[in-house]
Amino acid sequence: MSASATETAPEQSGNGHRMPVYFVSHGGPNLLADTEYPADQPIARGLRQIGDDIRALHPRGMVVISGHWESNSGKRGGLQVNGLSATPQPLIYDFYGFPPHMYRETFEHKVDPKLTQQVAGLFAKAGVPIDTVDRGLDHGVWVVLKKAGLAGSAFPIVQLSLLGTESMDDHLRVGEILAPLRDQGVVIVGSGMAVHNLRDLFGSGPSSGGAIRPYVKPFDMEVDRAVIESAPDARRAAMVALASSDNLRKAHPTLEHLLPLHVAVGAAGYQANTKKMLEAYQLSVSWSCYKME
């Protein structure tokens, strides 16, 4: 997948309502448990602020990229997008070992095949293979959006897969291709985790206890420098340079929860003003969330 090193987002539309882009850290289904994540605590409060922010925009639609869907289209460099039919598909409960009631959670939402085809058309025009499929939303989408208060929203939600690779460069390009949707009332959301090491979170032995792991805050700061502090003409390179971080494979043993951030940054454009909307840490994860506009 070829990549451009230049800003590709179109000029702002005449009505001045270019939609922002968000990156959210989504956690597991226990995020919905008020006993674990009370409404008055930073994580729940931060996610609800993001939800309120999005709702106030009155978007025409939302496109979400989650760390829990990597393309298996079979086409080299290809993607998948959901929404073949006009009926929302059953939610995907892609988590294991949680209490039974978490597998009965619901998330009311709309779909829109026209928006799905619009997404597919952008990639087809860019020469990127893409398959349209019927697939439910995975927990990287519905859990965090429900915690954010966006269940039952008036706008449709379309989910786009990641590529089947760990290329940061290619995922920035995915975002660049999506960028024109922002001028058409569509909010783009990347959903992953800023730091995501489940081996240390759930593992046995000394790694499973107590203090925040020593790689968590340093890598989170590297992400901040790339997303917030880097100069516009250096931001794309700064995002790709995360691949060389000494902390990368500690913070992300696999990259599927980081790559939605690259899609979001590509969609926002490299001159975007970025605000950190949530900062919180737990053992071996970071809950950092960002708004880019």
Side-chain angles (χ1 to χ4, degrees):
M1 190 174 183
S2 61
S4 168
T6 61
E7 173 67 59
T8 61
E11 292 300 316
Q12 190 165 347
S13 58
N15 62 15
H17 290 159
R18 173 177 287 185
M19 291 290 162
V21 179
Y22 298 84
F23 173 79
V24 295
S25 290
H26 63 239
N30 55 322
L31 177 64
L32 298 176
D34 290 337
T35 53
E36 294 189 52
Y37 296 94
D40 61 348
Q41 295 301 307
I43 292 172
R45 192 168 61 243
L47 292 173
R48 188 60 187 235
Q49 180 185 356
I50 291 170
D52 290 346
D53 204 56
I54 291 172
R55 194 182 293 276
L57 293 169
H58 301 290
R60 180 174 70 86
M62 175 186 287
V63 175
V64 189
I65 303 90
S66 157
H68 290 274
W69 190 14
E70 296 174 273
S71 176
N72 61 356
S73 71
K75 298 177 182 177
R76 185 177 178 84
L79 291 161
Q80 293 172 290
V81 61
N82 77 345
L84 189 62
S85 71
T87 303
Q89 300 301 298
L91 299 178
I92 300 174
Y93 299 89
D94 51 338
F95 44 82
Y96 309 95
F98 288 90
H101 69 87
M102 292 186 177
Y103 300 88
R104 296 191 294 270
E105 289 281 356
T106 61
F107 179 72
E108 295 182 6
H109 66 284
K110 296 181 178 180
V111 295
D112 181 3
K114 291 182 180 179
L115 178 56
T116 295
Q117 291 305 318
Q118 192 175 0
V119 172
L122 288 173
F123 287 97
K125 184 177 179 180
V128 179
I130 187 166
D131 292 330
T132 303
V133 300
D134 270 333
R135 178 187 188 273
L137 302 178
D138 59 58
H139 87 267
V141 178
W142 66 264
V143 167
V144 69
L145 294 185
K146 185 169 185 175
K147 191 68 172 183
L150 293 174
S153 292
F155 54 83
I157 299 170
V158 169
Q159 184 173 357
L160 176 69
S161 76
L162 294 169
L163 296 163
T165 77
E166 290 193 333
S167 169
M168 294 182 182
D169 190 88
D170 284 353
H171 283 90
L172 287 164
R173 181 62 181 144
V174 169
E176 293 166 4
I177 292 170
L178 286 172
L181 292 174
R182 297 175 56 209
D183 291 316
Q184 300 168 41
V186 178
V187 171
I188 298 168
V189 178
S191 176
M193 291 291 284
V195 175
H196 182 258
N197 187 326
L198 297 188
R199 299 173 191 175
D200 280 358
L201 189 64
F202 297 122
S204 60
S207 66
S208 63
I212 295 169
R213 294 296 175 259
Y215 53 81
V216 173
K217 290 185 179 180
F219 188 76
D220 201 66
M221 290 174 64
E222 290 182 63
V223 171
D224 282 354
R225 286 194 291 270
V227 176
I228 300 173
E229 300 171 19
S230 61
D233 60 355
R235 185 162 298 173
R236 196 182 201 285
M239 291 299 298
V240 174
L242 290 173
S244 302
S245 168
D246 291 339
N247 293 304
L248 176 64
R249 290 299 177 174
K250 301 171 189 174
H252 290 276
T254 56
L255 300 190
E256 75 285 338
H257 278 68
L258 180 63
L259 293 172
L261 175 64
H262 288 74
V263 178
V265 171
Y270 306 114
Q271 298 183 24
N273 293 317
T274 303
K275 175 184 178 182
K276 194 168 193 177
M277 297 193 73
L278 172 59
E279 181 175 291
Y281 308 101
Q282 290 177 319
L283 193 61
S284 60
V285 300
S286 163
W287 287 87
S288 291
C289 298
Y290 304 91
K291 178 182 180 180
M292 310 165 210
E293 56 185 345

